[in-house]
Amino acid sequence: MKSIWWVALAAGSAAYSLVRQGKDVLPSFRGVAEVRSHLPGRLRLFIPAIARQEDAARTMKETLEATGAVHSVTLNPRTATALICYDEAQVGAAVIEGAVIRLMALDAEIAHPTACRVAKGLKTGFGALDRGIREVTDGLFDARTLAGVALAAGGLGRMARRGAGVPGAMTLLWWATDILGGKGNGVGQG
């Protein structure tokens, strides 16, 4: 019975993808140029740069409207959106979106995506921890060196109590040498 469900799910997915391929699906670049809605002749984009770069947004609006294929561009800096009404017989929505990205100079932002929010949060948290350790130790330690020293001390202590054959001690020493001897920390480099 379960295999029937899997077959039905696979067939449904295949059918949906075939139907979707027939539609004009536009790329959406999260946080840079997101397609909020798209109907023939009407395209709404969320572009945070509109709020930050009002002159560039105004230039983009004037340039698109001067083409003759675009009827109007309505910019809303408060919501960072652009509503573009165009003649779908003359130009496609993908071309409009590409022109907006190019005119707003968003190519580099799209080509080099930023880190995810979790990675940014962890980097910020570890940066704050590192600054705190440097401040408390008056520059004697940073977070990486302190972690390496703590692991080395724990490994050596465990080795002294239980002998070198204990995997836990060797693991701690390996991590300590990796952290203390790693690139960019200045330890052991000439």
Side-chain angles (χ1 to χ4, degrees), residues 45-101:
L45 297 171
F46 169 70
I47 305 170
I50 288 174
R52 295 188 312 262
Q53 305 167 4
E54 290 187 33
D55 290 338
R58 206 172 8 266
T59 302
M60 178 264 299
K61 170 187 168 53
E62 293 166 0
T63 304
L64 286 177
E65 289 176 342
T67 63
V70 175
H71 304 300
S72 67
V73 177
T74 306
L75 300 174
N76 188 339
R78 285 184 179 213
T79 59
T81 59
L83 174 62
I84 304 165
C85 297
Y86 60 96
D87 183 1
E88 68 273 5
Q90 292 184 29
V91 67
V95 173
I96 298 286
E97 182 183 17
V100 169
I101 288 168

